[in-house]
Amino acid sequence: MKERIIYIVIVGLFVFLNSAVSFAQTAQKKYKYVPMSAPNRITVMLLDYPLHPQTTHPEKWVGYYVYRAEQGSTNFKRMTNEPVSAQKDALSMAQKMGSKAINRIMRNLKVKNYDAVFKRVLAGDSSLVIPAMFNLFVAEAFGLCWHDTKTEKGKTYLYYVTKVKADGTESLTAPPTNIEPVTAGVPQLPLTKINYIKAELVGTQIYVTYQKDDKGRIRNVYRSEDSLGTYTQINDLPLMSNSDPNEKYDVFPDSLVKPNSSYFYVVATEDVVGNALYSDTVSVKTKNFRTPPTPTILRTESTTEGLQLDWEIVDNASIVGYRLLRRDATANTPSLQDDKDNLYNEVSTVMIAPSDTTYIDATATSGMPYFYKIVSIDKYGTRSPTSIPFPARYFNKRAPVSPSNVRATPLMRAIKIVWSPNKEKDVSGYQVYRAYRDNENRELVSEYLSPLDTVFVDSSKTLSKKISFAYYIKALNQSENESPFSKPVFASPLEEKIKPQPMNSLSGTHNPFTGNELKWSEAYDIETAGVRIYRKMDATPDTSAWKVIYEESITRGKFTYLDTLIKPDEFYLYKMAAMSEDSLESDFSEILRLGATPSSIQAPQEVEIDVTERGLKVSWTPVIAGGLAKFAIYRRTNKESSKKIAEVSAGMYSYEDAIKEKGTYYYTIVPLHKSGKEGDASQEVSYQIKSF
């Protein structure tokens, strides 16, 4: 009987899981959503993948919108004011679905905490749809269902669903064709009542036998200790009928029964949204069966392999083994208040031998508080009462090994570091360190990374392609032990060639004795590594005449250049460009024009006056100077102030002044540059005419 029941339970569970996966995958592929009529509402199951405002999925959808129309109408109305999405954080998600559900999902995903489950939600892991299809609390936690409570029984509705992004973009702009209608109050999957049910006491367990269902519908077993009392579901997972064609009935064993007690059972055919059809009630009374003695846990000890528990041996020939139970602390530290056996899970996957008094819990998480209980089991399968809860906490004293397979990849202005995850079960995270080349001055550059994060991108502004940076990884465990540094890997960032910003602060002055002095302001553009100055003569229209006259890296605090290679009689145009390290030029500054005003021409020497028949002749020695164009002759008398009376060309060195009146005449000779500027004046000379 016992072997047959185990076979039926295993086969039924296998059929259930395969049917569940097949149904969800088929519905997911065909519809992406399934509206289902439930008591007092219609629930829309969302079968694509979990969405969240902080999604890391590449498609960047943040939630679902649900639209509804009555049958025969094309006027679809959006029913959801805000996008339907997963719970806001990991704790809210775990609390929504309950401890049993989150623990089961953590075991199936092989992760140690619900933060890791929440990361799967943010990543849009479509495998999370499967558990959501068979537990509404899980579906609500993952944001994979929406309840329409504004329905009328017997009325038919049409639904369709779109995904939505943060900016309001939706995956559909119009309703799809061939929408399946759903009628409020009419289940999508027909339910049939179970016509045969029987409860039988075998040893210390009650076996509930009921009619087999070949349609793959869900069954749940409910129990009460009072025929008029509250019935509680006693199976953890939904039950599916076994696939053995020779079996007409399914069997569910209830081992959590007490002696000398009456139990009442019903079996329900259900669907995920709460529609149910119940069988007739059957009852059975247990006997005063003897239970095996209860073991006592003596001590616990942290070892390198896990948390070791020791207990005293039970002296009873009928004992065939032990089962060790543990209460997990998934959110808060456990309390002995309201301590119940159903809060505990079995630690050992197989029964512990009756001669053993020690067990090492290798799955204990370092630093996490636990309560343990132990039961003995006799040859009839009867369990002893559980022992008094024994508090324990595991502390791992062994440091994790150094991370391996560390690789560094250059990125544009960044470096990506990748490594293989450590295999230790209590690794709590990683840290990334950086050094300039391979030296001892290692700097922590990452935050505390989770055990699932084995990629880090260093985008620090201090990175430079001129330096080969060394990177090291440390692993940490939940006892705050640190691994040695990994072997270093080296990389330099890539840097794109970016044109610097133009320098529009060019100004300058002309000094006739030193040259043209150019000035500019300090460049604050990070791309600017130097400057380049171009010059050409103003009188030259050819744009190819621009030549580089200055090129140098930026020196902080010095922003001037003196152009001494100029002609004294020319004007020059200047423009400036900023340079990057790759000699990439910015746009040019505004053009600056500076006049190369010549230096003063020396004064004529040895000025003399001679009397001629017409008047007075003024002469002077030749003057040699660049740009000399003319000489201006200035004259004054005792009655008139000095004024220019004549100009002669640069090749002449005398001037005859026709005098008509007697008196004293004063003369000064001034050289003129071709630009019009006067040079230095000669010494004044005079002559007195007394008569004609």
Side-chain angles (χ1 to χ4, degrees):
M1 178 69 173
K2 184 177 181 180
E3 290 77 8
R4 171 177 173 272
I5 292 170
I6 293 174
Y7 169 77
I8 291 174
V9 170
I10 292 176
V11 171
L13 182 59
F14 176 79
V15 171
F16 159 69
L17 292 175
N18 277 276
S19 299
V21 171
S22 175
F23 171 74
Q25 289 178 342
T26 300
Q28 187 177 16
K29 182 177 180 182
K30 183 177 180 181
Y31 305 112
K32 299 294 185 182
Y33 62 93
V34 175
M36 302 182 70
S37 176
N40 303 318
R41 69 181 187 277
I42 291 177
T43 295
V44 180
M45 303 299 294
L46 308 170
L47 308 178
D48 207 338
Y49 55 84
L51 304 181
H52 193 278
Q54 300 172 7
T55 180
T56 60
H57 193 281
E59 294 182 352
K60 299 301 180 184
W61 301 110
V62 300
Y64 294 96
Y65 279 155
V66 180
Y67 290 82
R68 188 190 78 180
E70 295 184 11
Q71 190 175 37
S73 172
T74 59
N75 183 22
F76 279 87
K77 178 183 177 182
R78 195 178 82 195
M79 303 297 293
T80 49
N81 293 327
E82 299 295 331
V84 179
S85 60
Q87 296 293 308
K88 64 179 182 179
D89 53 41
L91 179 59
S92 300
M93 175 197 69
Q95 291 174 339
K96 185 68 176 179
M97 66 177 66
S99 60
K100 284 188 177 181
I102 187 63
N103 286 333
R104 186 180 300 117
I105 291 174
M106 285 162 52
R107 286 195 298 270
N108 291 340
L109 295 178
K110 298 180 180 179
V111 297
K112 291 190 173 182
N113 52 57
Y114 48 75
D115 287 322
V117 178
F118 191 65
K119 283 191 174 183
R120 299 282 187 95
V121 172
L122 296 182
D125 188 345
S126 59
S127 68
L128 299 178
V129 173
I130 302 303
M133 282 297 298
F134 299 96
N135 187 318
L136 272 186
F137 294 111
V138 175
E140 290 169 353
F142 289 161
L144 292 174
C145 71
W146 175 77
H147 305 299
D148 185 2
T149 57
K150 298 179 180 181
T151 60
E152 295 182 28
K153 191 173 183 180
K155 183 173 287 188
T156 301
Y157 300 92
L158 304 175
Y159 293 88
Y160 80 92
V161 175
T162 69
K163 295 192 287 287
V164 61
K165 293 184 177 180
D167 63 2
T169 303
E170 297 186 46
S171 58
L172 294 177
T173 58
T177 58
N178 300 325
I179 298 177
E180 296 288 339
V182 58
T183 301
V186 180
Q188 270 54 43
L189 299 176
L191 304 178
T192 58
K193 180 180 178 180
I194 298 173
N195 293 319
Y196 177 83
I197 180 173
K198 181 179 74 172
E200 180 182 10
L201 178 65
V202 179
T204 59
Q205 298 186 83
I206 296 176
Y207 293 90
V208 181
T209 305
Y210 51 92
Q211 178 184 351
K212 180 179 174 180
D213 176 40
D214 58 358
K215 301 296 184 181
R217 287 171 287 223
I218 297 173
R219 301 291 181 78
N220 288 313
V221 179
Y222 295 83
R223 184 187 71 189
S224 174
E225 295 186 27
D226 184 344
S227 62
L228 300 179
T230 301
Y231 283 77
T232 304
Q233 181 179 324
I234 58 176
N235 54 296
D236 282 340
L237 292 173
L239 303 174
M240 302 290 286
S241 291
N242 69 82
S243 59
D244 187 349
N246 297 320
E247 293 289 344
K248 296 182 179 180
Y249 304 103
D250 291 321
V251 180
F252 177 80
D254 182 8
S255 59
L256 299 177
V257 294
K258 300 176 292 186
N260 291 327
S261 300
S262 296
Y263 293 96
F264 299 83
Y265 296 90
V266 294
V267 179
T269 304
E270 300 183 18
D271 60 24
V272 68
V273 294
N275 295 302
L277 196 59
Y278 296 93
S279 69
D280 294 334
T281 303
V282 294
S283 63
V284 66
K285 185 174 182 179
T286 59
K287 300 177 181 178
N288 187 18
F289 43 80
R290 296 183 59 186
T291 58
T294 302
T296 301
I297 299 176
L298 301 175
R299 68 186 66 86
T300 62
E301 179 182 0
S302 294
T303 70
T304 57
E305 297 178 355
L307 184 63
Q308 178 176 312
L309 296 99
D310 300 324
W311 61 89
E312 64 178 1
I313 195 169
V314 173
D315 186 15
N316 190 308
S318 66
I319 298 298
V320 296
Y322 304 97
R323 287 287 187 182
L324 192 64
L325 310 175
R326 184 184 74 191
R327 177 176 172 179
D328 295 329
T330 56
N332 301 308
T333 302
S335 171
L336 285 177
Q337 297 178 357
D338 196 31
D339 187 77
K340 298 179 180 179
D341 288 349
N342 62 1
L343 298 176
Y344 288 75
N345 297 309
E346 291 191 1
V347 177
S348 53
T349 55
V350 296
M351 188 182 299
I352 303 172
S355 58
D356 291 341
T357 57
T358 295
Y359 182 83
I360 294 178
D361 182 5
T363 65
T365 300
S366 182
M368 183 72 73
Y370 295 103
F371 286 117
Y372 287 89
K373 293 182 178 182
I374 192 171
V375 296
S376 60
I377 304 172
D378 64 16
K379 60 184 179 180
Y380 303 108
T382 305
R383 292 189 171 206
S384 71
T386 55
S387 64
I388 297 173
F390 195 95
R393 190 188 295 262
Y394 173 54
F395 293 99
N396 185 7
K397 302 177 182 179
R398 180 178 59 186
V401 299
S402 300
S404 60
N405 297 324
V406 183
R407 302 176 299 282
T409 303
L411 302 176
M412 192 62 64
R413 297 182 177 271
I415 298 173
K416 181 171 75 172
I417 316 300
V418 180
W419 61 96
S420 297
N422 279 41
K423 296 182 179 179
E424 296 98 331
K425 295 181 178 180
D426 65 336
V427 167
S428 59
Y430 302 95
Q431 291 177 332
V432 181
Y433 289 78
R434 181 186 66 212
Y436 290 92
R437 300 176 178 87
D438 189 12
N439 59 37
E440 296 300 321
N441 296 322
R442 301 182 181 97
E443 175 189 6
L444 178 64
V445 294
S446 73
E447 298 178 349
Y448 191 85
L449 304 176
S450 80
L452 299 178
D453 292 333
T454 57
V455 177
F456 175 75
V457 176
D458 184 7
S459 57
S460 171
K461 293 183 179 180
T462 61
L463 295 179
S464 170
K465 68 177 182 180
K466 298 179 180 179
I467 301 175
S468 179
F469 293 91
Y471 287 89
Y472 310 80
I473 313 297
K474 266 188 177 183
L476 300 89
N477 64 20
Q478 293 167 348
S479 298
E480 300 184 355
N481 298 316
E482 298 182 0
S483 75
F485 285 110
S486 65
K487 293 181 179 180
V489 292
F490 301 89
S492 300
L494 303 175
E495 292 187 9
E496 58 185 341
K497 294 183 178 181
I498 299 177
K499 187 184 343 183
Q501 294 295 318
M503 303 181 67
N504 288 321
S505 59
L506 182 63
S507 63
T509 57
H510 172 72
N511 187 315
F513 300 101
T514 58
N516 291 335
E517 183 176 356
L518 307 179
K519 299 179 181 179
W520 59 92
S521 301
E522 180 177 0
Y524 293 99
D525 180 16
I526 192 173
E527 301 299 335
T528 300
V531 294
R532 209 175 260 158
I533 298 176
Y534 291 78
R535 183 194 71 191
K536 84 177 185 71
M537 289 185 179
D538 187 17
T540 306
D542 186 3
T543 57
S544 64
W546 287 101
K547 303 296 180 186
V548 176
I549 62 169
Y550 177 73
E551 179 176 326
E552 190 172 338
S553 297
I554 286 179
T555 302
R556 299 296 176 190
K558 181 180 179 182
F559 310 103
T560 63
Y561 171 70
L562 180 62
D563 184 10
T564 59
L565 301 177
I566 59 175
K567 295 181 179 181
D569 55 352
E570 294 289 347
F571 277 83
Y572 291 87
L573 303 180
Y574 297 90
K575 61 183 180 180
M576 172 182 281
M579 293 189 308
S580 69
E581 289 185 352
D582 300 305
S583 297
L584 192 64
E585 283 190 351
S586 71
D587 295 335
F588 288 112
S589 66
E590 296 179 356
I591 293 177
L592 173 69
R593 184 177 185 270
L594 291 179
T597 305
S599 301
S600 296
I601 302 174
Q602 66 180 7
Q605 303 294 319
E606 301 179 16
V607 182
E608 297 178 351
I609 300 176
D610 296 315
V611 179
T612 66
E613 292 182 356
R614 297 178 59 199
L616 298 176
K617 180 182 179 181
V618 185
S619 61
W620 57 92
T621 58
V623 175
I624 301 174
L628 178 62
K630 298 176 183 179
F631 291 100
I633 293 86
Y634 286 82
R635 184 189 70 190
R636 74 178 179 87
T637 66
N638 293 329
K639 297 179 181 180
E640 296 177 345
S641 61
S642 178
K643 64 179 180 179
K644 185 167 63 173
I645 60 173
E647 291 181 353
V648 297
S649 64
M652 296 180 65
Y653 304 103
S654 64
Y655 172 74
E656 187 176 4
D657 185 12
I659 302 299
K660 297 180 180 180
E661 296 179 3
K662 62 181 181 180
T664 302
Y665 293 88
Y666 301 85
Y667 294 92
T668 305
I669 311 303
V670 178
L672 298 176
H673 188 270
K674 65 181 181 179
S675 66
K677 181 183 178 183
E678 293 185 346
D680 297 334
S682 69
Q683 289 186 348
E684 187 179 62
V685 295
S686 64
Y687 190 87
Q688 183 180 15
I689 297 177
K690 296 181 179 179
S691 62
F692 288 95

